[in-house]
Structures are given as C-alpha cells and as structure tokens.
C-alpha cells in the first residue's frame, strides 16, 4: 500500500479526500511533463516532428483501457468543450432527458440550446424515475452523469442495458468524469452510445485533457460542424471525412495528452481490479460509518450500490475545522463532499471519523 502512495507526494502533507474535485499529479506524470518541456525548450519544431506518436499512443491506450476501437476515440481538452461540440452536431429540436441538478456543464449546455427538455429526479429511485420519464416522452437523447458530483449516487449500468434494449433509438450520452478510473468498464459492451470524460479527477492525468468514446453508428446519427487542418492529421484521422477529426480541428497539445497517456500507464501497472477493490472497501466502510453517525441523506443510505463520493451533513465551521486538521474535502450542495480513491487508506478514513466525532457531529 505504501508503495502506491509513494508516487503522490501530496499524500505526505494532507489527508486528501478530494479526488472528486481534483485528482493528484503523480511523480510519473510530473516527470513526463518535465522532460517534455525540456525537450521542447531545446528542440522547438525539431522536437515537435516526433510528437504525433504521443497522440496516437494516448488514443490507443484509451481504447484499450475502456474497450473502444481506436478510431472511435476523440481527444478533447475537457468535458464541456467535447459535450458542446457534440450537441452542435445534433439536429434540433429534439426531445432531451436530463437528471435534475446534474453537473451544471452538462445540463446548461443542453438547456442553452433549442431542445425540448424533461427531467428525472436524482434520488433513491433514480432508475424508476428514468424509466417513467422514458415511458412518458421517449426522448431522442438522454444525457447524464454516471456518478453524481454532489452526492455520489451512481446509475445502475445494468438497468441502462435493459433500458437501451427497450429504446434502441434513444442516444445515451454519458458523462464519465466522476466514474472512469474507479472500476473496470467496457464501453463497447455497455449501453452507452457516447461517453465523455474529463481526466483530471479519477484518472489523475492533470488538466487540459479529456476524451470522447463513440459507438460506430454515431457517425450516421451526428453531424459535428467543427473542422480544421488538425481534423486530417495523425494515424486514425488521415482520411477525409473521418469522424473523430471533427472533434479535433486544431493542433493538439502533446504535454496534456501525453500526461494522460502516462496516467493510463500507471493505472495499467497497478491494475484496475486492484484499484476498484481498494475503492470498494473504503466506500463500504465509509458508508456504514457515516450511516451510523446519521451523516448521509436517506436516498444514499437506501441505495444498494454507491460510488466512493459522499456528501456528509456539515456547515462552514466543520469544513474549516477539517481544513485545520489538513483534511482536504469540498463544500458542495448542502454539505461537505468527501471522496476516496485507491491511494487513500482505512487509517485516513478512521482519522476523518475521529475528527468528525471530536468536532461533535
Ligand atoms: C460530473 C462532472 N462532469 C464534468 C466535470 C468537469 O467538466 P470540465 O472539465 O469540462 O470543467 C465535473 C467537475 O466537477 C463533474 O463533476
């Protein structure tokens, strides 16, 4: 365990329970970034001549990690850019289904365009609410976060499989930002048609990098408008009319996408099974202890499966108290959000619980 923590110096300073806000920079990614910019400093265009292979490697590693053909992986700077570009490629008006109070960059991007929108509530009966909304309005697309950013409620992926069978024509567009990197996930076998993910959180890749995975049929259903010289550059985009190039119109940044490749290599080295079992163990214990202390909302307590993000009852004073103990968390929604990644330990959870009790919650 200590070995897994060693590569993240920030863990020596803080009890860091805040991956849902920002992942960590590992030494491996930092070293790549140092070398990249030193080489750029000394080589300029001579250095850049060889950089296309970084983008290819990143795309291929993403395809391997998430079970998606390489030519259906687009590299974008963040979730919001990718999602807005995607929405411009959808004909309007269309019937959209969203989750009420889902992440703002997701809901606002749909609400600011000419779609007919309905909403399903995020609560204990999330899946039932979604099924009812489908029955009522048969949306053309359903856009949602796999894991909710405020309280960590995770949609049942098996339920999505069944729903997709019933409504094969509805596009399922998922935000994987609070999900990808926490457990094994095979995109091609999933019900999701398009998955977009910012990678600075659970993938620990730093900022300025994100990706989109597409099912092959999306090429017939979406007509993205963005285009530029970059649309036709690189191993998987050289041919005219290629689809992913429409999401990559300009010169791509090899520092940021290269960082993502390094972060993916680290995940591969540790193993996603190991990562997910560590997260699950922490999440199970945290949920049970927080429940005993009456710190969670009922809708979370009553769900069978949950992520490792929790929103515990607490005000500014508790937040400041935790901060004074070097426990790093976020204020979100009505309470305090804590989140556990594989590099966190039971000892850290116990320390949090002890400090919560000391504070008097
Ligand atoms: C569910 C979800 N999606 C997306 C993002 C971030 O999107 P972006 O990188 O475009 O700002 C966040 C950040 O908190 C998030 O929680």
């Amino acid at each position: 365990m200590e070995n897994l923590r060693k590569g993240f110096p920030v863990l020596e300073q803080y009890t860091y329970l805040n991956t849902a806000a920002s992942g960590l920079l590992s030494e491996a990614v930092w070293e790549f970034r140092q070398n990249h910019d030193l080489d750029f400093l000394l080589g300029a265009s001579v250095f850049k001549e060889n950089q296309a292979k970084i983008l290819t490697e990143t795309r291929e590693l993403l395809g391997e990690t998430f079970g998606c053909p390489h030519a259906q992986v687009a590299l974008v700077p963040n979730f919001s850019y990718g999602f807005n570009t995607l929405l411009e490629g959808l004909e309007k008006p269309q019937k959209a289904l969203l989750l009420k109070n889902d992440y703002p960059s997701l809901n606002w991007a749909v609400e600011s365009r000419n779609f007919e929108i309905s909403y399903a509530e995020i609560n204990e009966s999330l899946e039932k609410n979604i099924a009812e909304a489908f029955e009522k309005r048969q949306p053309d697309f359903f856009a949602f976060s796999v894991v909710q950013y405020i309280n960590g409620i995770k949609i049942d992926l098996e339920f999505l499989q069944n729903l997709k069978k019933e409504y094969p024509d509805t596009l399922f567009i998922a935000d994987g930002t609070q999900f990808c990197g926490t457990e094994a996930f095979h995109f091609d076998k999933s019900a999701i048609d398009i998955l977009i993910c910012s990678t600075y959180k659970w993938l620990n890749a730093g900022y300025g990098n994100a990706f989109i995975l597409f099912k092959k049929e999306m090429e017939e259903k979406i007509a993205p408008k963005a285009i530029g010289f970059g649309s036709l550059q690189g191993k998987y985009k050289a041919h005219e009319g290629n689809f992913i190039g429409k999401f990559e119109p300009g010169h791509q940044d090899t520092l940021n996408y290269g960082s993502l490749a390094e972060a993916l290599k680290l995940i591969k080295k540790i193993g996603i099974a190991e990562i997910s079992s560590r997260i699950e163990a922490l999440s199970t214990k945290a949920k049970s202890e927080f429940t005993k202390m009456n710190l969670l909302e009922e809708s979370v307590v009553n769900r069978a499966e949950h992520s490792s993000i929790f929103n515990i009852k607490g005000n500014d004073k508790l937040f400041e108290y935790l901060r004074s103990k070097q426990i790093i968390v976020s204020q979100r929604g009505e309470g305090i959000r804590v989140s556990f990644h594989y590099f966190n330990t039971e000892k850290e959870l116990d320390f949090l619980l002890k400090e919560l009790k000391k504070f008097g919650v």
Side-chain angles (χ1 to χ4, degrees):
M1 181 65 219
E2 277 311 311
N3 277 349
L4 293 184
R5 289 171 64 80
K6 237 184 186 167
F8 297 103
V10 71
L11 299 175
E12 285 161 32
Q13 204 179 341
Y14 299 115
T15 301
Y16 193 87
L17 307 178
N18 210 23
T19 302
S22 173
L24 308 181
L25 191 65
S26 65
E27 279 171 357
V29 173
W30 176 73
E31 260 170 41
F32 162 81
R33 293 172 73 91
Q34 297 284 84
N35 291 335
H36 177 283
D37 271 2
L38 183 61
D39 290 343
F40 187 31
L41 181 75
L42 301 176
S45 74
V46 179
F47 160 69
K48 277 282 171 191
E49 280 163 17
N50 274 325
Q51 293 300 291
K53 64 177 189 308
I54 290 193
L55 301 174
T56 299
E57 184 185 32
T58 309
R59 202 185 306 282
E60 291 178 347
L61 277 166
L62 283 167
E64 272 167 40
T65 308
F66 296 109
C68 181
H70 303 152
Q72 289 153 229
V73 179
L75 304 175
V76 291
N78 52 55
F79 165 82
S80 305
Y81 172 85
F83 188 48
N84 276 273
T85 310
L86 171 76
L87 291 177
E88 282 306 299
L90 295 180
E91 276 174 38
K92 300 169 202 83
Q94 288 206 12
K95 284 183 285 178
L97 176 66
L98 300 174
L99 302 179
K100 202 160 192 179
N101 298 323
D102 205 333
Y103 189 68
S105 299
L106 195 164
N107 281 6
W108 293 352
V110 178
E111 287 158 357
S112 75
R113 292 176 167 86
N114 187 22
F115 295 115
E116 291 169 29
I117 305 170
S118 53
Y119 296 87
E121 293 277 341
I122 301 167
N123 57 28
E124 181 184 340
S125 328
L126 173 66
E127 290 76 14
K128 185 166 154 272
N129 304 339
I130 294 168
E132 284 172 3
F134 264 74
E135 218 171 287
K136 235 191 248 169
R137 299 210 47 219
Q138 286 104 52
D140 296 307
F141 72 90
F142 169 39
F144 59 95
S145 297
V146 178
V147 170
Q148 286 302 316
Y149 79 109
I150 293 183
N151 59 12
I153 286 186
K154 178 183 164 202
I155 201 164
D156 181 340
L157 294 171
E158 235 175 271
F159 157 79
L160 284 185
Q161 296 275 19
N162 295 329
L163 192 67
K164 183 71 184 171
K165 277 186 204 134
E166 239 183 286
Y167 300 94
D169 295 332
T170 300
L171 291 190
F172 284 27
I173 306 172
D175 176 349
T177 305
Q178 297 287 10
F179 170 66
C180 295
T182 61
E183 65 180 55
F185 173 72
H186 198 289
F187 173 72
D188 242 18
K189 292 185 188 152
S190 79
I192 296 167
D193 294 301
I194 301 163
L195 181 133
I196 315 179
C197 175
S198 269
T199 48
Y200 63 86
K201 296 182 193 281
W202 300 90
L203 291 160
N204 296 301
Y207 288 76
N209 45 39
F211 62 86
I212 316 183
L213 310 178
F214 295 98
K215 290 273 167 67
K216 183 75 182 152
E217 326 69 273
M218 294 306 105
E219 300 187 10
E220 311 303 321
K221 301 201 171 185
I222 300 159
K225 311 288 185 296
I227 187 139
F229 186 70
S231 302
L232 290 174
Q233 302 299 309
K235 186 170 169 190
Y236 296 98
K237 300 190 294 166
H239 57 289
E240 211 143 318
N242 81 82
F243 185 71
I244 51 173
K246 302 275 176 59
F247 293 84
E248 302 180 9
H251 284 83
Q252 297 285 70
D253 179 14
T254 50
L255 176 70
N256 291 338
Y257 294 121
S259 298
L260 174 53
E262 291 309 310
L264 291 169
K265 285 181 210 165
L266 181 60
I267 289 169
K268 199 168 160 184
K269 196 164 131 198
I270 299 164
I272 193 71
E274 178 74 16
I275 288 173
S276 85
S277 84
R278 284 179 188 279
I279 291 175
E280 204 185 322
L282 282 171
S283 168
T284 305
K285 176 166 177 183
K287 186 173 173 188
S288 142
E289 295 299 322
F290 292 152
T291 303
K292 275 188 228 156
M293 293 164 79
N294 191 28
L295 287 175
L296 298 177
E297 54 188 295
E298 277 301 295
S299 54
V300 169
V301 173
N302 294 333
R303 283 186 63 85
E305 220 197 307
H306 190 74
S307 71
S308 62
I309 301 174
F310 297 92
N311 200 296
I312 61 176
K313 291 171 194 159
N315 54 16
D316 291 354
K317 286 231 156 60
L318 175 60
F319 179 74
E320 279 154 27
Y321 177 78
L322 294 176
R323 190 62 183 240
S324 75
K325 300 292 171 188
Q326 311 284 60
I327 299 175
I328 309 300
V329 293
S330 293
Q331 289 184 290
R332 287 289 183 282
E334 315 252 288
I336 293 176
R337 182 180 69 187
V338 302
S339 48
F340 301 90
H341 209 342
Y342 71 88
F343 41 67
N344 292 122
T345 60
E346 212 172 307
K347 211 164 120 197
E348 286 178 311
L349 171 57
D350 290 341
F351 178 57
L352 170 71
L353 295 168
K354 192 178 95 195
E355 290 302 334
L356 288 172
K357 283 172 191 156
K358 255 204 217 162
F359 180 80
V361 300

